[in-house]
Amino acid sequence: MNSHQTTKYLLFLFLNFLHYTQSSSSFFNHRILIVGSSNLDSILHVERLPTQGENVMTVTEKVTVHVPGGKGCNQAIAASKFLLSGKKVQFLGQFGKDDAGNVLRSALEVNGVDISLCSCAAFCRYDLDEDENVEVGSGRGYVFLQSDGSVSAVVDGGANLCGWWAGADGKDGMECMPNWIDLLDLSEDKDCLVLLLLQREVPDYVNLHVVRTLREQYDSSKVVVMQDVGGEDRPMSREMLKICDFLTPNASELQRLVSQFDQSFELNECNEASVIKGARLLQAHGAKNVLVTLGERGCILVFAPNKESLSNDNDPNFIQINSCILPDGTGVVDETGAGDCFRAGFAVSYAEGNNLTDCLKFASAAGALAVTRKGAVPSIPSRFEVQNLLKAQDSDFVDEIPRGGGMLSTDCDNGTKDDVECPLLFGSRLNSMKDRPDLWDGELGVRGWVKRQATVQGLGCIDFNFPQHFESWSVKEAKEALVETGLVAGAVCLRYPHDRFQQGAMTHPDVNVRQEAIEITKRAALAARELGA
């Protein structure tokens, strides 16, 4: 490493240190309350899921492990690890009087979560037609983890569903709800922003009770409600839609919610317009801001119609963010808890006063890191790791290799005029041109993105992704578009399609898939040569 590179590296470390240790006084005064479930998850390794009526065995050489989980527990611990302000996340949930409950309590406390609002469920009415009460255990999750990292699960709600009744006499539990809001002790903190994160592994009447009480007893303009749609598959009432400031479904949850109101709607999660249409249909029935997570395709936040006050951005329509590129040497290991990390990251970043674009980027990085490790709670990254991944997405600390045709003959340092031509070309990844489509009146798609970049003063070269950016046109057509716009190709970046190469490309266990990766690499090299990258 030469002296110039050393200086850049030290500057990188110093800036990272400043960002990580910045004073909490720069953030909004805020409290984060998470209402939800906690489960002890048993992770079962299987080659495949069973079909109807079939039994399958777990993988012999893989040990079944038991780890803390549940959406509420995951989000509370993640939020606690992401916070930099020194304040504790507060968690409101129910445990059973069993060993699983002790494990869950310990996991939350060890990670700095305030569980003073939680209680143990002693018993609940097992059958409302009978007089018998039974003890209720802690929530349990049974996670089926396949070799490609994909997961499915069955959840036994336990105390998460029944424990709130506390011996209720057959009513819906609302009259038995304690006044948790008094326990939040907001009396001396009237300017505090309260961010309330909900999900659906607890009954809706619990969520409604907390929101209603909080908004009745506190300044409702300072209460922001985020509803994770994940959890029990049940309809969502219009009242619930209306009281949430942010509704955060994934693609399948968006389809399910919209089908309540329009059974003809069929979501195409690969189509931006289809996702936005689904969000707008929910907004027609009372939803406000709708944040749809799309896995490896990123996420889209569709703003509430005529409600721009929450956006902190200039775009009144929507924001689309691409998924983060995983760190070198990592891949998808286990998707359990990734959505919880995303939502906790978004909530923390929003509470700290960041604009929504930055909130989405932080959330995306948090979710991306979570898939690289096994388990829900064990996979949660630290704030430091999330920030480092964000820096890696747009790193300015690159080797001094000229791109897009090489160095120009003129040297800036030897110039005597202010307008001397710079010997370096500055470029952009073509995917960057997909952002903020409201600022672009031209055509969309790869050809339109090239034209859009040509309008950005100072950007002279383009980095293409292969094969993604060459699916709708040929390399020859791309070269003609570059000539037409006066741009050059800076690089052709090889991106093996994730759905085909989840287990690796050149290291894939299937020889046919490895050969396919070699052929894609050859085609990418030919494209780079033809484009002069």
Side-chain angles (χ1 to χ4, degrees):
M1 181 181 291
N2 60 37
S3 60
H4 186 58
Q5 291 172 321
T6 301
T7 300
K8 290 195 296 183
Y9 180 66
L10 291 175
L11 178 60
F12 166 76
L13 293 178
F14 177 67
L15 291 175
N16 193 73
F17 172 78
L18 286 180
H19 189 73
Y20 185 67
T21 58
Q22 58 185 297
S23 169
S24 62
S25 62
S26 64
F27 297 139
F28 286 161
N29 186 18
H30 61 270
R31 303 277 289 276
I32 295 179
L33 171 62
I34 295 175
V35 180
S37 62
S38 58
N39 301 319
L40 189 63
D41 290 343
S42 297
I43 301 178
L44 309 173
H45 297 265
V46 295
E47 291 292 347
R48 59 180 177 81
L49 297 178
T51 59
Q52 185 173 359
E54 180 188 23
N55 295 329
V56 298
M57 296 290 291
T58 57
V59 178
T60 305
E61 61 271 20
K62 299 286 188 178
V63 177
T64 298
V65 295
H66 308 282
V67 296
K71 298 187 74 63
C73 178
N74 296 342
Q75 292 167 6
I77 292 176
S80 181
K81 295 183 73 170
F82 298 155
L83 270 176
L84 190 62
S85 64
K87 293 189 175 182
K88 282 194 172 185
V89 171
Q90 291 180 286
F91 175 62
L92 172 57
Q94 299 285 304
F95 308 112
K97 289 185 175 180
D98 49 21
D99 291 340
N102 295 333
V103 171
L104 294 170
R105 281 178 172 274
S106 176
L108 288 159
E109 290 181 317
V110 164
N111 284 281
V113 178
D114 181 349
I115 61 171
S116 59
L117 301 179
C118 298
S119 61
C120 275
F123 56 87
C124 74
R125 186 64 53 81
Y126 176 71
D127 187 335
L128 296 183
D129 294 329
E130 302 290 341
D131 292 331
E132 182 182 2
N133 287 328
V134 297
E135 287 193 0
V136 57
S138 298
R140 297 297 304 265
Y142 301 93
V143 180
F144 303 100
L145 174 59
Q146 298 180 73
S147 57
D148 63 357
S150 59
V151 295
S152 301
V154 175
V155 177
D156 173 11
N160 300 310
L161 295 179
C162 303
W164 309 89
W165 286 14
D169 57 358
K171 298 182 180 179
D172 67 357
M174 186 69 76
E175 295 182 7
C176 300
M177 295 293 101
N179 190 348
W180 292 296
I181 309 309
D182 287 344
L183 301 177
L184 287 175
D185 191 21
L186 295 167
S187 57
E188 298 180 0
D189 216 355
K190 294 297 184 183
D191 294 327
C192 177
L193 170 71
V194 178
L195 196 145
L196 183 60
L197 184 53
L198 311 173
Q199 36 71 35
R200 309 195 77 203
E201 287 183 349
V202 299
D204 280 346
Y205 66 75
V206 175
N207 290 333
L208 283 169
H209 176 72
V210 174
V211 177
R212 288 171 182 166
T213 309
L214 186 56
R215 285 184 166 161
E216 286 172 1
Q217 300 186 14
Y218 190 65
D219 184 348
S220 61
S221 66
K222 293 184 173 66
V223 178
V224 177
V225 180
M226 297 184 179
Q227 171 74 69
D228 180 351
V229 179
E232 188 176 358
D233 182 4
R234 58 180 182 251
M236 180 174 285
S237 67
R238 281 186 169 86
E239 180 182 7
M240 201 72 223
L241 285 176
K242 292 177 181 179
I243 65 172
C244 300
D245 297 295
F246 290 90
L247 195 67
T248 62
N250 61 24
S252 62
E253 292 159 356
L254 176 63
Q255 173 68 69
R256 190 166 67 241
L257 281 179
V258 176
S259 295
Q260 288 183 218
F261 309 105
D262 184 352
Q263 295 187 355
S264 66
F265 175 74
E266 292 187 8
L267 175 68
N268 179 358
E269 61 183 276
C270 298
N271 182 281
E272 171 189 292
S274 178
V275 175
I276 294 173
K277 179 181 178 181
R280 292 297 185 204
L281 286 170
L282 290 180
Q283 290 170 341
H285 293 276
K288 298 175 184 174
N289 302 281
V290 180
L291 170 54
V292 185
T293 55
L294 301 168
E296 64 180 15
R297 283 175 289 278
C299 61
I300 297 179
L301 172 59
V302 182
F303 295 150
N306 302 319
K307 295 288 185 180
E308 302 174 30
S309 59
L310 285 171
S311 71
N312 298 326
D313 292 275
N314 296 320
D315 185 350
N317 301 308
F318 69 94
I319 302 174
Q320 183 173 12
I321 298 292
N322 296 323
S323 60
C324 281
I325 299 172
L326 295 178
D328 291 341
T330 66
V332 177
V333 174
D334 182 358
E335 297 174 348
T336 307
D340 296 329
C341 277
F342 179 99
R343 285 156 180 80
F346 181 81
V348 167
S349 188
Y350 184 87
E352 291 178 348
N354 296 305
N355 67 58
L356 285 179
T357 298
D358 288 341
C359 293
L360 293 171
K361 289 180 178 179
F362 187 92
S364 179
L369 286 169
V371 305
T372 64
R373 304 163 186 167
K374 286 185 180 179
V377 169
S379 72
I380 298 171
S382 67
R383 182 186 182 106
F384 187 76
E385 290 175 299
V386 174
Q387 290 174 333
N388 279 345
L389 181 58
L390 284 173
K391 290 182 177 68
Q393 305 303 300
D394 296 304
S395 177
D396 293 327
F397 301 91
V398 296
D399 292 335
E400 296 178 295
I401 301 175
R403 306 169 77 179
M407 297 281 282
L408 301 178
S409 59
T410 306
D411 188 340
C412 283
D413 293 336
N414 295 330
T416 57
K417 297 182 180 180
D418 291 338
D419 59 352
V420 66
E421 187 173 25
C422 180
L424 298 177
L425 283 175
F426 293 87
S428 169
R429 294 169 57 195
L430 188 57
N431 272 356
S432 301
M433 296 299 111
K434 292 164 46 177
D435 295 338
R436 298 299 302 275
D438 57 302
L439 301 179
W440 172 242
D441 295 328
E443 63 179 302
L444 300 177
V446 179
R447 190 185 301 273
W449 300 336
V450 171
K451 292 179 180 178
R452 183 182 182 185
Q453 180 160 330
T455 67
V456 182
Q457 186 175 2
L459 292 184
C461 63
I462 292 176
D463 289 355
F464 292 94
N465 287 348
F466 191 94
Q468 291 81 3
H469 289 157
F470 297 91
E471 292 172 345
S472 60
W473 63 350
S474 65
V475 175
K476 181 180 179 182
E477 289 174 310
K479 187 174 182 179
E480 291 171 352
L482 292 175
V483 173
E484 178 184 342
T485 56
L487 300 172
V488 296
V492 173
C493 307
L494 193 52
R495 296 285 186 266
Y496 297 106
H498 178 70
D499 57 350
R500 179 64 172 158
F501 297 95
Q502 284 187 355
Q503 299 182 63
M506 302 299 181
T507 59
H508 197 285
D510 187 332
V511 64
N512 294 320
V513 178
R514 293 200 300 271
Q515 185 60 43
E516 188 176 333
I518 292 172
E519 294 304 318
I520 292 176
T521 305
K522 289 179 180 178
R523 287 164 44 212
L526 291 173
R529 185 171 66 180
E530 185 171 346
L531 292 172

